Amino acid sequence: MTGKRTFTTLCCLLVFRLITAAQVQLPVYPDSLFSTYYQQRATHFKTLPKTAGDIIFLGNSITDGAEWSELFGDCRIKNRGISGDISAGVIARLPEVADRKPEKIFLLIGVNDLSRNTSPDSVVKNIMLISNYLHEKTPATKVYVQSILPVNKIYNKFGTHTGKSTQINEVNQALQTAADKSHYTFINIHDAFCGVDGLLNPELTNDGLHLKGEGYLLWKHLLYPYVFDLGMKPSLMPLPQSLKWQSGLFPFYSCSSVIAGKGLVNEANVVEELLKVNGAYSIDHDSSAHKPYIELKLTKIKVPQHAEEAYRLQVSENHVTITANTAHGIFNGIQTLRQLLRDNVMLDACDITDWPAFSWRGYMVDVGRNYQSVEQLKQQIDIMALYKLNVFHFHVTEDIAWRLAIKQYPELTKPENMLRDKGQFYSVDDIKELQRFCRERHIEFVPEIDMPGHSGAFKLAFHVDMQSDSAMRILKDIIREVCETYRPAYLHIGGDEVKISNAAFLPEICRTVEQYGVKAIGWSPGGNVSANTIRQLWMKEGTVNKKIKYIDSRHMYLNHMDPLESVTTLFYRMIGDVPTGNDSVLGGEICLWNDRAVNRQEDLLTMNPVYPAILTFAERSWQGGGRPGWTAAIPSGDTSAFDNFKAFENRLLDQKQQHFKTLPFPYRKQQNLVWKFYGPYSNGGNQEARFKPELDSLVKDSVSFTAVGGTLILRHWWYPLVNGLITNPKENTTWYAFTKIWSDTDGYKNCWIGFNNLSRSYATDTADPGTWDGRGSAVWVNGNLVKAPDLKFAGRKGNLESPLIDEDYEYRDPVKINLKKGWNTVLIKLPVGGFTAKDSNNPVKWMFTFLPF
C-alpha cells in the first residue's frame, strides 16, 4: 500500500474533467509515476483472458490481500487490487478494466491518497471520475463504491495513514452524497469495522490498517447481498409470523459448540453438519461464555395455534438459541437458521417467534405414470424440509403402472404389466428409506393406492376388476401388508374418477384401512367413502360438511400451470377458503400429475414449476391469508396486494439465487413489466384482421386497462372458475398489449415468449410450423416482427406417449430479441376465435408470456 512520494498531489488534482459531448476524458500519466509492483500487476492484468460476467474487485493492498473468488466461492470474481495504489493509479488502468465489460465492479480506494495529504475533495472527485467513465464506456456494469475503512493507531504502524480518521469520514460522507449523480451504489462498510471508539476494531487487524482473516470474513458478510443481488437482510421463506431484526452479528465461522436438550439428537446432528460444512473439525458441547455456541432447548412457548410446530429463534453476538415445544418445532427453527446463514460466515442478530397457519402442508408426486428415482425424490423432500412443508404424498399406483412392491403379489410389478417405465418400481427397502428420510425431516410420508379407479395395471396383473369380490380379497391382503410393513399414519385410497358398480367397495376398503389404526384419505369428488375419511378436494367449490376433515388441492395442480402463473396463483390463494386452518380444513397440497410421458425424469422438474410452486405454497400455507377466489392475474390495481407480491417475489428470487443454482427453477422477476391493453376489437372470426394498434406505431387508441407481469392470461381455460384479466371475455375479438423495456446497451437479449403454455396432462397438439399458436398471435419489438421458434415437432397431433421437447418457453432456448440502447417498444397481438375447445386435449387458454432477461 505504501508507495514512494513521487506520486504527487498534482496528479490527483488533474483528473476530474469532462470534455465536450458529455464524454469523460481520463488524464494520461507517465509510467514513471507508478511503482515496480504496480507495473507488474497492471501488465499482468492486461494479459489475462477476457471472460463474460466478471465481478471485479478494484483497489489497493486491502483489496489485493484477499482471495476473493475462494472467499465467495465464485470464479467470476477477479482481484484487481494493487498494493500501494491510489485513485490516480486506478484511473491510469481504468480503460483495461472497462474494456472487459464486467457485470460488477467493487471499488475501494483513497486511504493512500489521504496518507499523501491529498485533500478529501480531490479523492472524491477522482472516484466520481472513475464511476462516470465506467458508466460511459460500459453502461451495463454495476459500479459499487465502498467507504474507506477506519484506521487505528494502536499498533504504532502506518502513522501517515492511521491519523486520517477525520479525512476518511469526510470522504465517506461526500461519496454517499454523490452516489446518485455519479452512477454508483455507495456501500458503507466503514461503520461495521469500527470498535466502540469509532476506530478500526483491533481484533480485525494487526497493524491498524490492513485486515486479518476475520476482517475479510466480515467484509464478505457486508458485500454478500451486493455480489449476489440479494436483499440486505436474509430473505426468509416462509416469512416468520414475528421477525425482529436487531443489532450485532453472530460469528458462525468460529462456532463449534452445540448444546442440545434431551430427545434432540436428530436435530443436534443437523446443526453439527452445518458447522462441519462450515469448517468446524470437531464439535463440543460447552456453553462457555467465552466462545459462541448454539443451544437447542425444549420448553413451553405460547402461540395462537399449532404449537407442536412453533419455535422461537434468538440470535445474539455470542449465542444462538432455538426453543420449541417439540423436536419438530426445533427442526423448523433450524430451517430458518439455515436460511439466515446465507454466506456461511455470520448471522444477523434477530428475534423470531413462528408457527404455521395450517397443520397440513403437502406436496404430492405421481410416480405411477412417470417413475422417479429415490435420489430425485429425496432432492424434492430436502427442498420441502427447508421450506417447512410437512406432508409427502406418494401416489404410487396408476393405470400405467403399479410401482409398489407387494411380497404376496409380485406380479403387480412385473415389466409386462406396466405400460411405461417398464420394470421400474419401489422395493420395501426403497419405501422404508423414503420413510426414514422423511421422518428425519419431520415430514409425514403418505402412500396412496388408488382404488377402485386408475387401476388398469392391477387389472392387467390379475385380469379382474377391482370392484369384484376376488379383487377385494387381494386388496385386503395388500392393505394388510402395507400397513404392517410400513405402519403409516395415513393411507390414501384414491376413490375418484370411476363409476362405482359395487357400493360396498369403498366403505369396506376404508374399514380395512382403519382396522390397522391407519387414517384413510380419499379424493373429493369421488366415491362413497366412509364419513370419517379425510377428503382431499380436487374440484368442488368449498367444504360441504364441517364435521368432515378436508385437504385442499383445487386448482393447485402444477402440471396445468405456466411457471409464472403458478407463483401468482398460489401466492394469492386462500387455502380451503379460510385464512387459517381449523378442525375441518387441515390445510392443502400442491400436486404434480404429469400424465404425459417424459424422456427423462429430470423433465418432470423442468417442465413443471415444481420448485417455484413449492416455495410459494410453503409461504401461503405457513403464513395463511390469501384472497377469496382463484386468480391467475397479479392484482396490480390493489396497492397493498401488489406490494405484498413484490416483496414476496424479491424473497423468492433471493431463494432461487441461494439454493437453486444447480436445480431447475423456471421463474424470473415479472413485477416490473407493466402492460397497456387496447381493445376489444371485433375480428368477425378473422384472426388475421389488423387494427389500429398494429397499424399505428404510436398506438393512439385509449388504453382499456393496464396489467403487470410476464405471463398475462386474458381468459383461463377454466373461466369463470379461474379469473383472468378480462372480466367478460368475448369470442371473435382481438386485443393488443403494449409495453416499453429499457436496455443499457445495443444488442440481443434473451426473452421468454409463448402464447399457449401446454398442460403436461393433456395430449395437446403442437403449434403449426412458423406460428406461435393456432390463433394468429404475434409480437413486435421496435416494430420488427419476432419470428416464432422452429419447433422440432411443429404441427404434431397430441399424444400422451410423445414427450414434450421444446413446445414451451421454459424448456426451450430463449428467443433472442434485438434491443437498442434506451427504451424499446413491444407490441403483442392477441386474437381469439371461439372459446369452445375442439376436444378435451386442446382447451382455449387465451394468454401470452413475454419476459426479457
Side-chain angles (χ1 to χ4, degrees):
M1 174 172 294
T2 56
K4 296 183 179 179
R5 294 182 181 271
T6 53
F7 293 107
T8 65
T9 302
L10 177 61
C11 293
C12 297
L13 296 174
L14 288 174
V15 299
F16 189 71
R17 57 189 176 121
L18 300 176
I19 64 172
T20 59
Q23 292 182 338
V24 180
Q25 179 176 308
L26 299 179
V28 177
Y29 302 103
D31 289 344
S32 59
L33 288 179
F34 304 106
S35 70
T36 301
Y37 181 70
Y38 177 97
Q39 299 290 356
Q40 291 167 352
R41 292 282 282 174
T43 56
H44 176 47
F45 296 154
K46 290 180 180 179
T47 63
L48 295 174
K50 292 181 180 179
T51 50
D54 281 351
I55 299 173
I56 289 179
F57 277 60
L58 190 59
N60 50 39
S61 64
I62 303 177
T63 297
D64 193 356
E67 303 297 339
W68 293 107
S69 62
E70 291 182 63
L71 188 63
F72 282 92
D74 194 324
C75 63
R76 297 176 301 161
I77 300 178
K78 305 298 192 301
N79 191 335
R80 293 298 184 265
I82 299 181
S83 182
D85 208 359
I86 58 173
S87 56
V90 171
I91 291 168
R93 55 193 176 99
L94 200 56
E96 187 274 331
V97 174
D99 189 52
R100 293 179 175 273
K101 308 295 182 185
E103 181 180 323
K104 298 178 182 180
I105 292 174
F106 288 86
L107 174 67
L108 175 59
I109 200 70
V111 72
N112 289 335
D113 297 72
L114 297 177
S115 77
R116 291 160 174 75
N117 293 319
T118 301
S119 71
D121 180 64
S122 295
V123 174
V124 172
K125 287 182 177 179
N126 289 359
I127 293 173
M128 291 169 66
L129 173 62
I130 292 168
S131 180
N132 286 326
Y133 178 85
L134 291 169
H135 179 69
E136 179 182 293
K137 299 300 181 182
T138 176
T141 300
K142 296 180 181 178
V143 178
Y144 298 90
V145 173
Q146 302 167 82
S147 60
I148 301 176
L149 289 171
V151 291
N152 198 325
K153 294 180 178 181
I154 190 172
Y155 294 105
N156 295 318
K157 296 179 180 180
F158 297 101
T160 59
H161 296 75
T162 57
K164 299 294 184 179
S165 292
T166 300
Q167 292 89 336
I168 288 172
N169 288 332
E170 187 176 340
V171 169
N172 290 342
Q173 291 173 8
L175 288 175
Q176 184 170 10
T177 301
D180 288 341
K181 68 178 180 181
S182 294
H183 312 292
Y184 63 80
T185 299
F186 177 76
I187 307 176
N188 177 14
I189 60 174
H190 174 279
D191 294 355
F193 280 86
C194 290
V196 293
D197 56 2
L199 302 176
L200 180 59
N201 188 334
E203 296 181 2
L204 303 178
T205 180
N206 58 4
D207 63 13
L209 179 63
H210 301 92
L211 301 178
K212 298 193 301 184
E214 294 83 352
Y216 283 109
L217 291 177
L218 173 58
W219 199 351
K220 173 188 176 180
H221 180 77
L222 298 174
L223 293 189
Y224 197 85
Y226 298 99
V227 170
F228 295 115
D229 296 314
L230 304 173
M232 295 311 299
K233 293 291 186 181
S235 295
L236 304 180
M237 188 172 291
L239 187 67
Q241 303 287 2
S242 173
L243 167 61
K244 299 175 183 177
W245 295 110
Q246 299 175 338
S247 60
L249 298 169
F250 176 78
F252 195 87
Y253 66 87
S254 64
C255 178
S256 61
S257 183
V258 179
I259 317 301
K262 186 178 179 181
L264 298 176
V265 174
N266 175 66
E267 289 64 40
N269 288 338
V270 175
V271 176
E272 289 179 10
E273 286 303 311
L274 287 176
L275 293 172
K276 289 175 182 177
V277 168
N278 206 46
Y281 295 104
S282 61
I283 307 297
D284 61 47
H285 305 283
D286 181 11
S287 60
S288 169
H290 300 294
K291 60 182 179 180
Y293 66 93
I294 298 172
E295 183 177 13
L296 312 177
K297 184 169 57 176
L298 293 175
T299 187
K300 292 291 183 182
I301 62 171
K302 189 175 181 180
V303 294
Q305 58 190 17
H306 306 309
E308 69 281 1
E309 287 198 68
Y311 67 92
R312 186 177 184 190
L313 170 60
Q314 296 167 284
V315 179
S316 68
E317 292 184 345
N318 63 352
H319 70 274
V320 174
T321 303
I322 301 176
T323 55
N325 298 304
T326 67
H328 193 170
I330 295 290
F331 184 83
N332 287 337
I334 294 171
Q335 304 320 301
T336 302
L337 177 69
R338 289 175 61 191
Q339 294 185 37
L340 286 171
L341 186 63
R342 59 180 180 176
D343 57 21
N344 288 319
V345 173
M346 297 177 179
L347 300 170
D348 291 282
C350 59
D351 190 346
I352 295 171
T353 302
D354 204 9
W355 64 91
F358 292 91
S359 62
W360 192 287
R361 307 179 306 281
Y363 168 55
M364 190 224 78
V365 294
D366 167 17
V367 293
R369 292 180 174 90
N370 289 287
Y371 174 85
Q372 294 190 55
S373 67
V374 171
E375 181 181 6
Q376 180 161 299
L377 293 171
K378 283 184 174 181
Q379 177 196 116
Q380 294 163 79
I381 293 167
D382 256 338
I383 297 301
M384 290 176 63
L386 179 59
Y387 299 101
K388 304 183 181 71
L389 293 187
N390 64 355
V391 177
F392 181 64
H393 178 171
F394 197 55
H395 182 90
V396 75
T397 69
E398 258 301 331
D399 288 327
I400 284 173
W402 180 292
R403 302 198 192 278
L404 178 65
I406 302 296
K407 291 181 180 180
Q408 189 172 347
Y409 299 107
E411 56 266 49
L412 281 166
T413 50
K414 286 183 177 180
E416 57 266 31
N417 293 328
M418 297 182 179
L419 304 181
R420 194 186 291 168
D421 298 334
K422 293 176 178 288
Q424 299 275 32
F425 65 93
Y426 302 93
S427 67
V428 172
D429 287 343
D430 289 336
I431 299 298
K432 287 190 173 182
E433 174 60 17
L434 286 171
Q435 281 187 305
R436 180 201 64 80
F437 200 77
C438 286
R439 187 167 50 250
E440 287 183 350
R441 290 153 181 78
H442 295 276
I443 292 173
E444 192 72 55
F445 181 84
V446 178
E448 178 181 354
I449 301 174
D450 212 337
M451 302 175 277
H454 298 268
S455 56
F458 179 93
K459 188 172 184 178
L460 195 60
F462 296 112
H463 309 290
V464 295
D465 183 89
M466 256 197 189
Q467 297 187 64
S468 66
D469 291 341
S470 58
M472 179 70 80
R473 288 191 293 271
I474 295 171
L475 288 171
K476 286 185 176 182
D477 289 339
I478 290 172
I479 292 170
R480 174 185 51 78
E481 183 174 320
V482 168
C483 291
E484 291 181 350
T485 302
Y486 305 114
R487 302 190 182 281
Y490 303 88
L491 179 63
H492 203 302
I493 52 89
D496 67 319
E497 294 187 318
V498 65
K499 181 179 180 181
I500 299 296
S501 59
N502 179 358
F505 179 85
L506 281 171
E508 183 63 21
I509 289 293
C510 292
R511 281 193 295 271
T512 303
V513 171
E514 290 163 0
Q515 78 181 38
Y516 294 100
V518 178
K519 191 69 175 174
I521 307 172
W523 292 104
S524 178
N528 55 328
V529 296
S530 59
N532 56 344
T533 299
I534 298 172
R535 306 317 204 267
Q536 185 165 1
L537 300 172
W538 66 276
M539 183 181 289
K540 278 187 178 177
E541 282 281 355
T543 59
V544 295
N545 187 338
K546 291 185 178 180
K547 295 181 180 180
I548 292 176
K549 296 184 184 301
Y550 294 91
I551 301 163
D552 191 4
S553 289
R554 297 165 302 162
H555 192 42
M556 291 196 279
Y557 285 12
L558 308 186
N559 41 291
H560 288 317
M561 291 185 178
D562 168 280
L564 301 173
E565 171 200 354
S566 72
V567 169
T568 301
T569 294
L570 293 173
F571 177 75
Y572 288 113
R573 185 60 189 273
M574 180 176 282
I575 297 169
D577 306 315
V578 293
T580 61
N582 53 48
D583 290 341
S584 179
V585 181
L586 303 180
E589 280 186 19
I590 52 174
C591 304
L592 179 60
W593 301 103
N594 203 114
D595 293 69
R596 199 156 182 163
V598 294
N599 277 325
R600 38 182 214 132
Q601 65 170 351
E602 293 81 6
D603 290 345
L604 296 167
L605 305 179
T606 303
M607 296 179 174
N608 298 284
V610 171
Y611 290 139
I614 282 179
L615 270 64
T616 309
F617 180 70
E619 173 88 0
R620 180 54 61 224
S621 59
W622 184 275
Q623 272 278 308
R627 294 162 65 94
W630 306 347
T631 182
I634 300 171
S636 54
D638 184 330
T639 302
S640 177
F642 185 41
D643 287 346
N644 289 339
F645 177 81
K646 290 194 294 184
F648 166 78
E649 186 181 61
N650 290 336
R651 288 187 289 116
L652 178 70
L653 292 170
D654 278 9
Q655 292 293 329
K656 175 184 177 179
Q657 175 74 280
Q658 286 290 106
H659 299 290
F660 295 89
K661 291 180 180 178
T662 61
L663 298 177
F665 200 98
Y667 189 83
R668 296 180 182 276
K669 178 175 284 192
Q670 56 175 326
Q671 62 180 263
N672 297 328
L673 208 52
V674 181
W675 298 89
K676 297 177 180 178
F677 280 82
Y678 299 88
Y681 302 92
S682 177
N683 62 40
N686 177 14
Q687 295 173 89
E688 301 298 326
R690 304 171 71 196
F691 301 97
K692 287 183 180 180
E694 187 177 345
L695 300 171
D696 184 352
S697 60
L698 298 179
V699 194
K700 295 179 180 178
D701 276 12
S702 298
V703 176
S704 299
F705 64 90
T706 61
V708 172
T711 286
L712 289 300
I713 298 174
L714 281 66
R715 182 188 185 275
H716 203 282
W717 57 37
W718 286 315
Y719 173 86
L721 191 60
V722 180
N723 294 320
L725 290 172
I726 301 178
T727 303
N728 186 23
K730 303 290 186 182
E731 294 184 330
N732 299 316
T733 55
T734 298
W735 283 82
Y736 292 86
F738 176 83
T739 193
K740 290 184 177 181
I741 55 176
W742 175 268
S743 178
D744 290 319
T745 58
D746 294 326
Y748 286 90
K749 192 169 188 176
N750 289 332
C751 191
W752 276 348
I753 303 178
F755 288 88
N756 182 27
N757 194 264
L758 275 61
S759 166
R760 280 68 63 191
S761 286
Y762 295 154
T764 310
D765 300 341
T766 303
D768 289 336
T771 71
W772 290 102
D773 56 16
R775 297 191 296 269
S777 299
V779 53
W780 294 267
V781 175
N782 294 326
N784 299 311
L785 185 68
V786 178
K787 179 179 176 290
D790 296 321
L791 302 181
K792 187 172 182 179
F793 295 109
R796 181 172 65 175
K797 178 71 175 175
N799 186 330
L800 289 180
E801 297 309 312
S802 299
L804 298 171
I805 303 294
D806 58 2
E807 289 79 358
D808 285 322
Y809 68 84
E810 68 269 29
Y811 50 88
R812 66 177 173 235
D813 291 338
V815 177
K816 300 286 186 180
I817 56 174
N818 192 10
L819 301 182
K820 62 185 180 181
K821 183 178 180 180
W823 287 106
N824 298 260
T825 62
V826 179
L827 181 67
I828 309 284
K829 182 178 183 178
L830 300 160
V832 73
F835 294 139
T836 302
K838 66 179 182 180
D839 57 54
S840 61
N841 286 307
N842 289 275
V844 179
K845 193 173 184 180
W846 194 12
M847 62 175 290
F848 75 92
T849 296
F850 184 95
L851 190 64
F853 58 93

